[in-house]
Amino acid sequence: MKVVVIGGTGLIGSKLVGKLGEHGHEAVAAAPNTGVNTLTGEGLADVLKGASVVVDVSNSPSFADEAVMDFFRTSTTNLLKAEVEAGVQHHVALSVVGTDRLQESGYFRAKQVQEELIKASDIPYSIVHATQFFEFMKGIADLSTEGDTVRLAPAKIQPIYSDDVAAAVGRTAVGSPVNGIVEVAGPDVFQLDELIRKALAAQNDPRTVVTDPQAPYSGAGLQETTLLPGPDAHIAETRFTDWLAQQQ
């Protein structure tokens, strides 16, 4: 089948395009650098011709509250409209475990709007909720850094390897629409502060991680289980410690 991957040149998108191609599907990477812009609508009609499935793994270039809301609202609206016109049969979007519990955050409010637009559309859909990627540990630390100190809550987190996310999204894309949410997570549960401490130590990053139950996560407060998936989540195989060892 023809699968168009919006955000197809990014971390998850490029892996997904490769995996779908290996399984004999026509996977097309669609992104501004391939002439497709969901914010303006440029190139959408052409790239969607003959597509059975559209997978949206795109992300906002800016995480400022207004910009990220505008990105997800506008791009999702444009994309769904173009899919209806092209006769697309399945819309798949990558989102984040705990999105509905992180609504103090401008980023997660925007992701929630994206999900609501998808659910309100007439197109059959599947939303994949993934936990945080192994590759983003430094980014989490950077968001929580003041001087040489990283303040993080001791909330639980179950991170996942980006390869495993791409595999889960690919399985969902070639399957039947679930008209709901599929969750995917890594095999191990950590405390967020401990996890970032391990990641920074492995990179010889000199910053000190301080445990602070009040520390926000992307602008939102955390309870112990805010970032954890539910009991029906698909559990991937790659362990963070094994991945970390391979990065040395």
PDB file of all heavy atoms in Angstrom, residues 17 23 37 44 95 98 103 170 177-178 188 216 236:
ATOM      1  N   VAL A  17       9.860   5.133   7.411  1.00  0.00           N
ATOM      2  CA  VAL A  17       9.893   4.985   5.957  1.00  0.00           C
ATOM      3  C   VAL A  17      10.741   3.764   5.572  1.00  0.00           C
ATOM      4  O   VAL A  17      10.351   2.963   4.716  1.00  0.00           O
ATOM      5  CB  VAL A  17      10.440   6.273   5.288  1.00  0.00           C
ATOM      6  CG1 VAL A  17      10.766   6.025   3.814  1.00  0.00           C
ATOM      7  CG2 VAL A  17       9.425   7.402   5.419  1.00  0.00           C
ATOM      8  N   HIS A  23       9.131  -3.898   4.144  1.00  0.00           N
ATOM      9  CA  HIS A  23       7.980  -4.801   4.110  1.00  0.00           C
ATOM     10  C   HIS A  23       7.168  -4.669   2.822  1.00  0.00           C
ATOM     11  O   HIS A  23       6.025  -5.145   2.743  1.00  0.00           O
ATOM     12  CB  HIS A  23       7.092  -4.560   5.332  1.00  0.00           C
ATOM     13  CG  HIS A  23       7.688  -5.091   6.608  1.00  0.00           C
ATOM     14  ND1 HIS A  23       8.561  -4.353   7.371  1.00  0.00           N
ATOM     15  CD2 HIS A  23       7.560  -6.286   7.230  1.00  0.00           C
ATOM     16  CE1 HIS A  23       8.938  -5.075   8.426  1.00  0.00           C
ATOM     17  NE2 HIS A  23       8.344  -6.244   8.359  1.00  0.00           N
ATOM     18  N   ASN A  37       4.370  20.902   2.826  1.00  0.00           N
ATOM     19  CA  ASN A  37       4.278  21.727   4.024  1.00  0.00           C
ATOM     20  C   ASN A  37       2.835  21.710   4.529  1.00  0.00           C
ATOM     21  O   ASN A  37       1.932  22.266   3.898  1.00  0.00           O
ATOM     22  CB  ASN A  37       4.716  23.163   3.703  1.00  0.00           C
ATOM     23  CG  ASN A  37       4.860  24.017   4.943  1.00  0.00           C
ATOM     24  OD1 ASN A  37       4.084  23.906   5.885  1.00  0.00           O
ATOM     25  ND2 ASN A  37       5.870  24.878   4.951  1.00  0.00           N
ATOM     26  N   LEU A  44       0.497  19.003  -0.562  1.00  0.00           N
ATOM     27  CA  LEU A  44      -0.301  17.945   0.087  1.00  0.00           C
ATOM     28  C   LEU A  44      -1.140  17.155  -0.914  1.00  0.00           C
ATOM     29  O   LEU A  44      -1.148  15.916  -0.886  1.00  0.00           O
ATOM     30  CB  LEU A  44      -1.221  18.544   1.156  1.00  0.00           C
ATOM     31  CG  LEU A  44      -0.666  18.656   2.579  1.00  0.00           C
ATOM     32  CD1 LEU A  44      -1.723  19.259   3.497  1.00  0.00           C
ATOM     33  CD2 LEU A  44      -0.203  17.300   3.089  1.00  0.00           C
ATOM     34  N   SER A  95       1.640  10.390  19.217  1.00  0.00           N
ATOM     35  CA  SER A  95       1.481  11.331  20.311  1.00  0.00           C
ATOM     36  C   SER A  95       2.204  10.766  21.539  1.00  0.00           C
ATOM     37  O   SER A  95       3.059   9.894  21.406  1.00  0.00           O
ATOM     38  CB  SER A  95      -0.005  11.602  20.576  1.00  0.00           C
ATOM     39  OG  SER A  95      -0.165  12.743  21.401  1.00  0.00           O
ATOM     40  N   GLY A  98       0.379  10.107  28.460  1.00  0.00           N
ATOM     41  CA  GLY A  98       0.141  11.108  29.504  1.00  0.00           C
ATOM     42  C   GLY A  98      -0.270  12.470  28.996  1.00  0.00           C
ATOM     43  O   GLY A  98      -0.431  13.398  29.793  1.00  0.00           O
ATOM     44  N   GLN A 103      -1.815  18.821  30.901  1.00  0.00           N
ATOM     45  CA  GLN A 103      -2.437  19.960  30.248  1.00  0.00           C
ATOM     46  C   GLN A 103      -2.011  21.328  30.802  1.00  0.00           C
ATOM     47  O   GLN A 103      -2.412  22.361  30.283  1.00  0.00           O
ATOM     48  CB  GLN A 103      -3.962  19.812  30.266  1.00  0.00           C
ATOM     49  CG  GLN A 103      -4.468  18.670  29.387  1.00  0.00           C
ATOM     50  CD  GLN A 103      -4.128  18.895  27.916  1.00  0.00           C
ATOM     51  OE1 GLN A 103      -4.649  19.805  27.296  1.00  0.00           O
ATOM     52  NE2 GLN A 103      -3.240  18.075  27.358  1.00  0.00           N
ATOM     53  N   GLY A 170       4.659   1.622  12.615  1.00  0.00           N
ATOM     54  CA  GLY A 170       4.545   0.887  11.354  1.00  0.00           C
ATOM     55  C   GLY A 170       3.513  -0.226  11.431  1.00  0.00           C
ATOM     56  O   GLY A 170       2.692  -0.389  10.515  1.00  0.00           O
ATOM     57  N   PRO A 177      -7.637   0.387  11.339  1.00  0.00           N
ATOM     58  CA  PRO A 177      -7.787   1.510  12.274  1.00  0.00           C
ATOM     59  C   PRO A 177      -8.434   1.046  13.581  1.00  0.00           C
ATOM     60  O   PRO A 177      -9.373   0.245  13.567  1.00  0.00           O
ATOM     61  CB  PRO A 177      -8.705   2.480  11.523  1.00  0.00           C
ATOM     62  CG  PRO A 177      -8.572   2.111  10.077  1.00  0.00           C
ATOM     63  CD  PRO A 177      -8.324   0.640  10.045  1.00  0.00           C
ATOM     64  N   VAL A 178      -7.917   1.533  14.701  1.00  0.00           N
ATOM     65  CA  VAL A 178      -8.497   1.145  15.992  1.00  0.00           C
ATOM     66  C   VAL A 178      -9.519   2.190  16.469  1.00  0.00           C
ATOM     67  O   VAL A 178     -10.276   1.931  17.400  1.00  0.00           O
ATOM     68  CB  VAL A 178      -7.410   0.948  17.073  1.00  0.00           C
ATOM     69  CG1 VAL A 178      -6.439  -0.141  16.656  1.00  0.00           C
ATOM     70  CG2 VAL A 178      -6.664   2.238  17.370  1.00  0.00           C
ATOM     71  N   ASP A 188      11.465  -1.074  31.007  1.00  0.00           N
ATOM     72  CA  ASP A 188      11.894  -0.783  32.377  1.00  0.00           C
ATOM     73  C   ASP A 188      11.338   0.535  32.895  1.00  0.00           C
ATOM     74  O   ASP A 188      11.270   1.520  32.162  1.00  0.00           O
ATOM     75  CB  ASP A 188      13.428  -0.739  32.451  1.00  0.00           C
ATOM     76  CG  ASP A 188      14.061  -2.066  32.053  1.00  0.00           C
ATOM     77  OD1 ASP A 188      13.602  -3.107  32.570  1.00  0.00           O
ATOM     78  OD2 ASP A 188      14.996  -2.057  31.226  1.00  0.00           O
ATOM     79  N   PRO A 216       8.743  21.152  37.500  1.00  0.00           N
ATOM     80  CA  PRO A 216       7.825  20.913  36.376  1.00  0.00           C
ATOM     81  C   PRO A 216       8.487  20.108  35.264  1.00  0.00           C
ATOM     82  O   PRO A 216       9.717  20.084  35.133  1.00  0.00           O
ATOM     83  CB  PRO A 216       7.486  22.326  35.896  1.00  0.00           C
ATOM     84  CG  PRO A 216       8.681  23.146  36.263  1.00  0.00           C
ATOM     85  CD  PRO A 216       9.222  22.552  37.530  1.00  0.00           C
ATOM     86  N   ALA A 236       7.972  -2.787  24.457  1.00  0.00           N
ATOM     87  CA  ALA A 236       9.079  -3.046  23.528  1.00  0.00           C
ATOM     88  C   ALA A 236      10.221  -3.770  24.257  1.00  0.00           C
ATOM     89  O   ALA A 236      10.225  -3.869  25.484  1.00  0.00           O
ATOM     90  CB  ALA A 236       9.563  -1.735  22.933  1.00  0.00           C
TER      91      ALA A 236
END
